[in-house]
Amino acid sequence: MKALTFSEFGSSKVLKYATIADPVLKENEILVEMKAIGLNFGDIYRRKGNYYLTGVPPFIAGYEGAGIVINSNNTSYTVGDRIAFADVPLANAELVAVPIEKVIPLTDEISFETAASVLLQGLTATYLATNSHKTIAGETVLVHAAAGGVGQLLIQISKLLGATVIGLTSTKEKAEFALSNGADNVFLYDEDWRKKVLTLCPQGVDVAYDSVGSTLSDSFEITKDCGQVVFFGMSGGDPDFINPRMLMDSSKTLTGCDLWSYLNSKEERINKANQLFDWINSGQIKIRPATSFKLSKGRKAHDYLESRNSTGKIILIP
């Protein structure tokens, strides 16, 4: 089979589209012919060596995708079934061995491209709004990186649950994008956004979703007493240390969120994915068309993602 590989860490130049051996199925695995593969910043970090990788080169990145079952050693899934997954390694290849506990069945209404575009970021946004913080109607939420993959979905889910949404982003173009996804107000990071947020909400927001990291202290500044900050990323660098005395004095809560802490059973994975798919099928959440690259052109896809010029999902097509 063909796969996008790398044998050393570095820039996109280390990526090679190469022929390697097909996967050998283990017990309770299915072999999937990939139709669409999601590209995420985690893949960039793995290529650079920022994320730990097991095994020996050549390495294959990728954890998210969708395709058709072409071989199965169990009765749970049969040849021809349409499936997707959000957390199976070695996905940047024509064929992937998928453990059955990680399989997410696809109905005909959800295309391979949509599944590969939405699962990882959509499931993250779903958990942020319904588990890390249980959003209720009438709340005001603040979303960092509001034009990003998680941010645009978190805006829509928060609005669906009845919240008012304030977004933060880096450019006017991205602000317009966040507004088009339903944000009520969007401010730029190079503005005095803390003052603007507190002008809108003098007591502070109910919850701030912070994926930037270096803004964590600022997020607490604009969160009301008894409010919550959900910390789920560090795209802008390491966060400040948080003084527990501040938490006690203001009765504020700091919550960490990692998707894999929640996505810990087959049933939970399928239930949450089906909720996400239902929102998409009913038109309550809109998914913008992904930018597609052939898997063989993986270098260009990596470069485009790293440029931060994209506003939608990037997918790879074998």
Side-chain angles (χ1 to χ4, degrees):
M1 71 173 182
K2 292 287 190 178
L4 188 64
T5 71
F6 57 102
S7 296
E8 57 184 314
F9 301 120
S11 71
S12 64
K13 292 181 180 179
V14 303
L15 294 170
K16 293 183 179 180
Y17 187 62
T19 301
I20 62 172
D22 292 357
V24 176
L25 289 186
K26 300 176 184 177
E27 185 178 1
N28 290 323
E29 287 186 341
I30 57 175
L31 188 63
V32 177
E33 181 182 278
M34 300 301 294
K35 297 299 183 182
I37 303 161
L39 182 64
N40 298 287
F41 271 103
D43 302 318
I44 305 293
Y45 302 148
R46 290 181 182 90
R47 189 203 73 217
K48 290 182 174 180
N50 301 129
Y51 280 6
Y52 179 73
L53 287 168
T54 59
V56 296
F59 297 116
I60 303 173
Y63 273 75
E64 175 188 37
I68 295 174
V69 177
I70 61 170
N71 192 11
S72 176
N73 61 13
N74 63 85
T75 58
S76 298
Y77 298 96
T78 60
V79 172
D81 286 347
R82 303 174 73 256
I83 70 98
F85 55 81
D87 56 343
V88 178
L90 314 180
N92 284 353
E94 291 179 323
L95 304 175
V96 179
V98 180
I100 59 173
E101 70 269 15
K102 302 293 183 70
V103 172
I104 297 172
L106 290 182
T107 63
D108 291 338
E109 290 79 13
I110 299 294
S111 70
F112 297 120
E113 292 79 8
T114 294
S117 298
V118 76
L119 271 176
L120 194 61
Q121 294 167 340
L123 289 172
T124 298
T126 300
Y127 274 100
L128 288 170
T130 61
N131 291 81
S132 299
H133 176 81
K134 297 184 184 299
T135 304
I136 59 175
E139 288 188 326
T140 299
V141 309
L142 181 134
V143 178
H144 282 271
V150 173
Q152 58 184 287
L153 293 167
L154 183 55
I155 288 171
Q156 295 185 68
I157 294 172
S158 298
K159 293 295 294 182
L160 187 60
L161 297 173
T164 297
V165 179
I166 301 172
L168 297 174
T169 192
S170 58
T171 68
K172 291 182 179 179
E173 292 75 17
K174 289 185 177 182
E176 290 298 323
F177 183 75
L179 288 167
S180 72
N181 277 311
D184 296 281
N185 293 275
V186 182
F187 303 125
L188 303 183
Y189 284 114
D190 60 4
E191 301 175 325
D192 188 352
W193 60 267
R194 292 163 297 276
K195 181 178 180 181
K196 289 178 178 290
V197 171
L198 290 174
T199 298
L200 275 180
C201 306
Q203 303 303 314
V205 301
D206 292 279
V207 58
Y209 293 105
D210 195 319
S211 59
V212 178
S214 57
T215 55
L216 194 61
S217 294
D218 299 319
S219 292
F220 273 106
E221 181 183 333
I222 53 82
T223 301
K224 72 178 186 181
D225 285 359
C226 301
Q228 184 179 7
V229 173
V230 180
F231 171 51
F232 69 102
M234 298 182 293
S235 64
D238 291 332
D240 294 333
F241 287 101
I242 299 301
N243 187 343
R245 177 63 189 269
M246 179 274 291
L247 298 177
M248 181 184 73
D249 290 347
S250 60
S251 299
K252 296 179 183 179
T253 300
L254 172 62
T255 300
C257 178
D258 183 85
L259 177 61
W260 313 123
S261 300
Y262 293 104
L263 211 65
N264 52 20
S265 73
K266 175 182 177 181
E267 293 74 22
E268 185 71 2
R269 182 177 285 102
I270 292 175
N271 288 340
K272 287 295 187 183
N274 285 340
Q275 172 66 84
L276 185 62
F277 293 155
D278 286 345
W279 283 334
I280 294 170
N281 287 333
S282 65
Q284 294 174 288
I285 290 179
K286 299 187 184 301
I287 306 300
R288 293 176 182 263
T291 301
S292 300
F293 290 84
K294 291 183 178 180
L295 184 60
S296 60
K297 303 297 183 182
R299 285 185 185 179
K300 290 185 177 180
H302 276 236
D303 290 340
Y304 186 52
L305 180 58
E306 286 189 273
S307 74
R308 296 186 182 272
N309 289 324
S310 61
T311 52
K313 185 75 171 187
I314 298 171
I315 60 175
L316 303 172
I317 307 297

